Amino acid sequence: ANVDPLKIMISGAPASGKGTQCELIKNKYGLVHVAAGDLLRAEIASGSENGKRAKEYMEKGQLVPDEIAVMMVKDRLSQPDSQEKGWLLDGYPRSLSQATGLKAYGFEPDLFILLEVSEDILVERVVGRRLDPVTGKIYHLKYFPPETEEIAARLTQRFDDTEEKVKLRLHTHNQNVETVLSLYEDITIKVKGNAPKEDVFVQIDTALTKLLEQKKSALAA
Ligand code: AP5
């Protein structure tokens, strides 16, 4: 029999580095990265009714209603690739009802990663963030500037990446984080996210390696 694939949740304040760490985790462990915010932005881009509704909440930095968020995430986790390779759920759940909603469909994580970053750093990370629409890569004007002029010319900025909007997002995060954390206390690792991204990844990598070893020995026993 094969080892049961990894099922990971990653959480943290806006711009704490979730997407950045997910790129590194995906590259090493081959998990399917499911980012609630990316699914919502794809829904907006498709022009659907759900997308239009979602955007109203996202512009205010508030949580999109459960009937949109829960179904969207559940559908993505049910796809064959997530089932076969394992999943890395980014930015979900953000409330008690989202956690119970997903659990009702049988999705439960092995590990809950919390990225801890001080608030003064978050604003700087948000306003400097840029995205490459071609590769999906996340850049930062100061910390990870684009490699070439060609890439620099095509970088885009998210509509909610202003200082004013990130403060609203942070407020929403602070209101909900304790409730969500209390649900996953037994499987949570807290990661120091103020460090350079490679150092942050070392902390996560160590935990994932250990978890995989535990799964392997459980299978052999
Ligand atoms: P979402 O897209 O999830 O946004 P967020 O939680 O605010 O997080 P971000 O994507 O802004 O940041 P990140 O932690 O991924 O940081 P990144 O790696 O890019 O959600 C957007 C909105 O959608 C929400 O406000 C809500 O309305 C809605 N939504 C989403 N999920 C929902 C849900 N479950 N239910 C209901 N509504 C939902 O890094 C940020 C920057 O910092 C980058 O420029 C990066 O290069 C840089 N950086 C990263 N790491 C480091 C480092 N170690 N050192 C220096 N710079 C770094």
Side-chain angles (χ1 to χ4, degrees):
N2 289 327
V3 178
D4 186 29
L6 293 177
K7 290 165 279 181
I8 310 295
M9 285 176 177
I10 184 161
S11 139
S16 54
K18 300 183 291 292
T20 300
Q21 292 303 317
C22 285
E23 271 177 24
L24 299 170
I25 299 169
K26 190 175 83 178
N27 289 347
K28 174 152 181 189
Y29 292 91
L31 306 179
V32 175
H33 176 204
V34 178
D38 289 348
L39 292 176
L40 288 168
R41 282 182 286 276
E43 200 63 49
I44 295 175
S46 79
S48 72
E49 277 310 311
N50 274 348
K52 283 184 196 138
R53 240 185 110 207
K55 194 168 182 201
E56 290 171 25
Y57 291 86
M58 292 166 79
E59 288 197 314
K60 291 185 261 180
Q62 294 171 356
L63 295 186
V64 166
D66 278 1
E67 64 266 26
I68 300 177
V70 181
M71 294 312 277
M72 203 181 61
V73 168
K74 174 223 125 197
D75 286 348
R76 185 63 192 90
L77 293 183
S78 307
Q79 299 288 317
D81 59 344
S82 313
Q83 293 294 307
E84 280 157 26
K85 296 178 189 167
W87 44 261
L88 174 60
L89 185 52
D90 165 1
Y92 186 106
R94 296 194 198 217
S95 64
L96 174 64
S97 58
Q98 288 190 3
T100 48
L102 199 60
K103 198 173 169 188
Y105 291 107
F107 294 105
E108 288 195 72
D110 304 310
L111 186 72
F112 186 94
I113 301 171
L114 177 70
L115 290 177
E116 296 186 304
V117 176
S118 35
E119 291 195 3
D120 50 334
I121 293 185
L122 298 173
V123 173
E124 193 197 9
R125 285 196 185 173
V126 156
V127 295
R129 171 166 47 193
R130 297 292 183 276
L131 303 164
D132 183 347
V134 177
T135 61
K137 214 171 149 187
I138 307 166
Y139 290 93
H140 189 282
L141 294 179
K142 181 168 158 194
Y143 300 115
F144 312 112
E147 297 86 351
T148 64
E149 281 295 319
E150 190 189 346
I151 298 173
R154 67 185 186 219
L155 293 182
T156 60
Q157 205 174 2
R158 258 168 57 176
F159 66 84
D160 57 352
D161 271 356
T162 61
E163 185 167 344
E164 177 209 351
K165 297 225 163 112
V166 75
K167 286 186 175 152
L168 298 174
R169 281 151 61 196
L170 191 56
H171 178 71
T172 304
H173 170 79
N174 289 340
Q175 275 181 322
N176 294 306
V177 63
E178 290 305 326
T179 313
V180 173
L181 272 181
S182 67
L183 301 170
Y184 300 105
E185 239 166 6
D186 301 347
I187 54 163
T188 295
I189 58 153
K190 293 187 175 174
V191 169
K192 293 184 189 70
N194 283 357
K197 71 172 175 183
E198 296 78 12
D199 297 355
V200 178
F201 182 63
V202 169
Q203 302 172 61
I204 295 176
D205 193 18
T206 306
L208 293 184
T209 305
K210 197 170 132 202
L211 182 61
L212 263 182
E213 273 162 16
Q214 281 167 355
K215 285 195 175 233
K216 279 183 198 149
S217 41
L219 192 71

